C-alpha cells in the first residue's frame, strides 16, 4: 500500500486523543509551568490496594526465587511450560483484571512492581506477563469492551488463557496508515486476511487482539479496527517463532490470517477506532517497560556494589578508584530516579486525576535509554567478566553473573512499543499541542486565508498572555520550595528552582523553534528530540525530589534518599545543559548533507575492503495474503 507523508500524518493525528480533559504535569512542564501541586505531596496508594499488592508480591517473590531459572531460559530460548503453568496458578495472568472477572485487581503501582520482580528473575517472563496484560486482551476490553465481551473473555485471561497484541506487519511499523491486513464484513462476521510480524506471545497465545483495516462500504464506516480473535480459529497459522539477541525466551512469531471468520460481536469499539484504542491502551501499558527497566537498575546496583567491593586493583577496591566510582554513582542515582518516575506515573494512573499520556511516554523513553546505559556501565565495571557469559563464569568456578545477558535483554526496550525516535516525535507532538491548537492553521497549507486570519487572532491573544509568564518565576526566588531543604539534608529546593527556570527556558526554545521553522518544524527531528530529552530530565528531577521528600516524611531512609536525589539532579542538570546548548549549536545540517550523499552512493568507496556475511534474501519478506505454505508452530500451553 502506498501512502503519502501527509496521509500517514492524518491517520496518526486522527488516532491521538484530541482534548486535555484532565491536568498533566508534564504538559505544563513543556509549557514553562512547574505545577508541583500536581505531584506533591506524592500520591499514595489506598491501604486496601497496598495490602493486596504486597501480599501478592510476597507470593510472586517466593515463586521467582524457587521456580524460575533465568539462565536456563536464556540458554534454552524457552520459558518452560511448568513455569507458565505456575504463573497461571499464582494468578499472575490476572494481575490487572478485576476480582469480578476472576482476577487479582492489582493497582498499576503494584502491577508494575510485580513486573519488575518477575523481570529480574527472567526478562522473558516479564515480557510474557506484560504483553498479555498491558497490551493484550485484558486492557483494551477493560477500557473499550462491552460488558458481554468482558464477561466472555476476561475470566479466561485471568485463569490461564494467554493473549497477544497484533499490529505490526512486515512492511508496517510505526506508520499504521499502510496497514494491509483486511477485515471484510460478511453477514454477522468479518473475514480477516493478512500477515502480522513480531507477535509477542503469539506462538503460545489463546486469544489475540488484531488490528485490521475494514474497507468502507454501505453500512460500514470502515477504517482500522480492533478485534478479539480465537488463536485456534481455522485459517490462522503461526509460520515462524522468531529468535533474537536478547529476551531469548519470548514466544514471538509471524502469524498469517487466511479467510479467518471473526464474529462481529468480537469487534472492540466501532469500526475505525482501532488505532485510538491501541494508543489509549498504551498510555498506561507503556509503564510496563520502565517497570522492568527500574528492576534492572536495582540488580545492576546490587552487582556493582558487591563486585566493586570485592575486586581490588592497585591496593584498594575498584569502587575507590574515581573512574569506576563515578559509574557506580550514576547507577545508584539513576536507579533511584527511575523508580521515582515509575512509581509517580503509576500512582497518577491509579488516582485517575491526571492525564498521563506524556508522563507514561517519558517514563518509557527515559527508562529504556537509562537502563541500557546502566547495564553497559555494569559490564564495564565488571571488565572481562562482564563480557563473559554466566555459564562460562560458573564453569570455571566463579559466580555466574549474567551481566552480558542483561545488556542483551535491555536493548530491545529502546525499540519495543515505540522506538526512541518515534517516542521523541510522539511526545514532541503532545508537547506542542497547545501551540498547534491556537496557531496550527497559520502553517497549514490547506487552510483558507479566512481560516488563517482567525488563527492569527487566536494566536495573538494566546501568546500575549503566555509569553510574559516565561520571563520570571519562582525559580529565581531563593526561598522557593523551602520544604525541600530540611535541616541536615542536601538542598533539593535548589534543584526544583532549576527545574522551574529550565522549564520556562524550554518553553521559550520551543516557541523560537516554531517561529523559525514554522510548518517545517516537524522535520527538525533532532531539535524536537532534544526538546523532549530536556523535558525528560526535568520530569525525572521533579519525581526524584518529590520521592525523596515523601520518604523523609515517612521516615524511610529519607536522608539517604535526599543524597541520591541530590546526586541524580546534579548529573541530570549537566545533561540538560548540554542538550540546551545543542538545540542551536549542532551538526544537524551537515548530517543531512552526509545522509543525502550516503543514499546517493557518494561514499560507496568507503565500504570497500570487507565482506558481507548476510544471507541472500529480500530486505522485507513477502506478505501477500493467501493460504499458508508453512508448518504451524502454534503451541498453546494447557
Amino acid at each position: 500500500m502506498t501512502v503519502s507523508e501527509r496521509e500517514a500524518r492524518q491517520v496518526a493525528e486522527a488516532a491521538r486523543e484530541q482534548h486535555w480533559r484532565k491536568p498533566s504535569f508534564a504538559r505544563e512542564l513543556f509549557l514553562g509551568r512547574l505545577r508541583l501541586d500536581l505531584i506533591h505531596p506524592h500520591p499514595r496508594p489506598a491501604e486496601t490496594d497496598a495490602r493486596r499488592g504486597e501480599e501478592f508480591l510476597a507470593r510472586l517473590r517466593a515463586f521467582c526465587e524457587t521456580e524460575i531459572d533465568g539462565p536456563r531460559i536464556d540458554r534454552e530460548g524457552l520459558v518452560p511450560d511448568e513455569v507458565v503453568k505456575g504463573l497461571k496458578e499464582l494468578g499472575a495472568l490476572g494481575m490487572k483484571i478485576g476480582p469480578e472477572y476472576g482476577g487479582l485487581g492489582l493497582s498499576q503501582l503494584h502491577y508494575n512492581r510485580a513486573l519488575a520482580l518477575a523481570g529480574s528473575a527472567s526478562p522473558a517472563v516479564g515480557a510474557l506477563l506484560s504483553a498479555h496484560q498491558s497490551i493484550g486482551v485484558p486492557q483494551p476490553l477493560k477500557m473499550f469492551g462491552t460488558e458481554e465481551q468482558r464477561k466472555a473473555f476476561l475470566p479466561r485471561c485471568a485463569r490461564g488463557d494467554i493473549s497477544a497484541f497484533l499490529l505490526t506487519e512486515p512492511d508496517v511499523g510505526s506508520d499504521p496508515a499502510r496497514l494491509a491486513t483486511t477485515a471484510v464484513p460478511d453477514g454477522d462476521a468479518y473475514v480477516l486476511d493478512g500477515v502480522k510480524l513480531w507477535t509477542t506471545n503469539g506462538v503460545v497465545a489463546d486469544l489475540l487482539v488484531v488490528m485490521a483495516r475494514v474497507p468502507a462500504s454501505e453500512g460500514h464506516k470502515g477504517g482500522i479496527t480492533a478485534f478479539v480473535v480465537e488463536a485456534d480459529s481455522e485459517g490462522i497459522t503461526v509460520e515462524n517463532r522468531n529468535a533474537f539477541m536478547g529476551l531469548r525466551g519470548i514466544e514471538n512469531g509471524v502469524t498469517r490470517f487466511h479467510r479467518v471468520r471473526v464474529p462481529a460481536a468480537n469487534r472492540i469499539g466501532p469500526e475505525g477506532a482501532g488505532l485510538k484504542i491501541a494508543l489509549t491502551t498504551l498510555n498506561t501499558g507503556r509503564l510496563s517497560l520502565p517497570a522492568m527497566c527500574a528492576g534492572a537498575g536495582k540488580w545492576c546496583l546490587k552487582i556493582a556494589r558487591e563486585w566493586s567491593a570485592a575486586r581490588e586493583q592497585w591496593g584498594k577496591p575498584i569502587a575507590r578508584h574515581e573512574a569506576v566510582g563515578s559509574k557506580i554513582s550514576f547507577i545508584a542515582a539513576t536507579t533511584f530516579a527511575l523508580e521515582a518516575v515509575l512509581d509517580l506515573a503509576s500512582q497518577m494512573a491509579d488516582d485517575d486525576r491526571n492525564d498521563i499520556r506524556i508522563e507514561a511516554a517519558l517514563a518509557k523513553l527515559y527508562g529504556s535509554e537509562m537502563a541500557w546505559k546502566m547495564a553497559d556501565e555494569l559490564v564495564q565495571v565488571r571488565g572481562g567478566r562482564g563480557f563473559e557469559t554466566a555459564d562460562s563464569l560458573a564453569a570455571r568456578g566463579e559466580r555466574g553473573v549474567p551481566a552480558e545477558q542483561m545488556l542483551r535483554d535491555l536493548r530491545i526496550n529502546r525499540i519495543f512499543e515505540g522506538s526512541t525516535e518515534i517516542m521523541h516525535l510522539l511526545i514532541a507532538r503532545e508537547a506542542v499541542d497547545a501551540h498547534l491548537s491556537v496557531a496550527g492553521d497559520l502553517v497549514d497549507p490547506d487552510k483558507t486565508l479566512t481560516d488563517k486570519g482567525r488563527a492569527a487572532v487566536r494566536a495573538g491573544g494566546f501568546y500575549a498572555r503566555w509569553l510574559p509568564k516565561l520571563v520570571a518565576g519562582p525559580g529565581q526566588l531563593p526561598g522557593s520550595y523551602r520544604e525541600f531543604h530540611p535541616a541536615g539534608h542536601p538542598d533539593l529546593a535548589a534543584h526544583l528552582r532549576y527545574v522551574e527556570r529550565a522549564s520556562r527556558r524550554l518553553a521559550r526554545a520551543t516557541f523560537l523553534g516554531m517561529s523559525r521553522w514554522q510548518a517545517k518544524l516537524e522535520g527538525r527531528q533532532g531539535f524536537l528530540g532534544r526538546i523532549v530529552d530536556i523535558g525528560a530530565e526535568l520530569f525525572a528531577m521533579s519525581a526524584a525530589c518529590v520521592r525523596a521528600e515523601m520518604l523523609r516524611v515517612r521516615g524511610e531512609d529519607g536522608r539517604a534518599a535526599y543524597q541520591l536525589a541530590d546526586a541524580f539532579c546534579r548529573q541530570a542538570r549537566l545533561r540538560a545543559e548540554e542538550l540546551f546548548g545543542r538545540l542551536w549549536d549542532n551538526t544537524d545540517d551537515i548530517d543531512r548533507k552526509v545522509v543525502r550523499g550516503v543514499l546517493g552512493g557518494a561514499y560507496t568507496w568507503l565500504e570497500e575492503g570487507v565482506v558481507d556475511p548476510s544471507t541472500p534474501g529480500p530486505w522485507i519478506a513477502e506478505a501477500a495474503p493467501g493460504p499458508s505454505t508453512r508448518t504451524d508452530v502454534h503451541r498453546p500451553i494447557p
Side-chain angles (χ1 to χ4, degrees), residues 342-418:
L342 174 69
D343 280 7
L344 178 60
S346 299
Q347 193 58 58
M348 290 168 75
D350 287 329
D351 289 351
D352 200 29
R353 289 185 292 108
N354 296 279
D355 187 322
I356 66 159
R357 73 182 87 161
I358 300 181
E359 287 84 348
L362 285 173
K364 189 275 177 188
L365 168 69
Y366 198 71
S368 60
E369 289 293 326
M370 299 307 276
W372 164 259
K373 291 180 180 178
M374 286 191 288
D376 185 57
E377 292 289 35
L378 175 65
V379 168
Q380 192 69 21
V381 169
R382 287 275 290 161
R385 290 172 173 84
F387 193 67
E388 192 172 0
T389 67
D391 285 345
S392 177
L393 289 164
R396 58 184 184 79
E398 292 192 1
R399 181 173 174 180
V401 178
E404 60 84 27
Q405 180 193 334
M406 178 64 71
L407 193 65
R408 289 188 284 105
D409 288 341
L410 284 172
R411 184 60 182 85
I412 187 58
N413 291 335
R414 299 174 63 204
I415 300 171
F416 259 170
E417 296 183 19

Side-chain angles (χ1 to χ4, degrees), residues 410-587:
L410 284 172
R411 184 60 182 85
I412 187 58
N413 291 335
R414 299 174 63 204
I415 300 171
F416 259 170
E417 296 183 19
S419 68
T420 290
E421 294 72 26
I422 291 299
M423 296 307 297
H424 277 149
L425 298 182
L426 184 152
I427 297 168
R429 172 61 186 88
E430 300 295 354
V432 301
D433 184 57
H435 301 282
L436 293 179
S437 65
V438 298
D441 287 355
L442 285 172
V443 296
D444 190 336
D446 291 341
K447 296 299 180 181
T448 66
L449 288 176
T450 301
D451 292 332
K452 292 179 182 292
R454 294 195 191 100
V457 173
R458 288 197 306 271
F462 172 78
Y463 290 119
R465 295 187 302 272
W466 178 67
L467 286 172
K469 296 178 182 178
L470 301 182
V471 176
Q476 293 165 292
L477 302 177
S480 296
Y481 315 112
R482 65 176 70 248
E483 68 268 33
F484 287 88
H485 191 191
H489 291 68
D491 184 4
L492 299 187
H495 297 310
L496 288 174
R497 289 195 293 272
Y498 172 84
V499 171
E500 197 279 334
R501 295 193 306 272
S503 174
R504 288 185 282 111
R505 183 181 174 189
L506 182 63
R508 293 194 300 268
T510 303
F511 175 74
L512 288 174
M514 292 189 66
S515 302
R516 178 175 177 179
W517 292 301
Q518 299 182 37
K520 295 180 180 179
L521 177 63
E522 67 178 26
R524 297 282 174 167
Q525 295 178 3
F527 176 84
L528 292 174
R530 294 177 199 110
I531 288 288
V532 169
D533 286 340
I534 294 170
E537 296 288 1
L538 301 183
F539 176 45
M541 289 176 67
S542 303
C545 291
V546 169
R547 182 176 184 82
E549 174 61 9
M550 176 191 69
L551 294 177
R552 185 191 71 83
V553 170
R554 286 165 49 178
E556 300 177 9
D557 300 310
R559 194 177 301 277
Y562 256 69
Q563 187 175 51
L564 286 170
D566 180 47
F568 172 76
C569 287
R570 290 175 184 272
Q571 294 168 10
R573 286 172 71 161
L574 292 175
R575 292 191 292 265
E577 285 301 311
E578 179 185 358
L579 288 164
F580 270 121
R582 290 173 54 208
L583 285 176
W584 312 109
D585 185 8
N586 52 64
T587 62

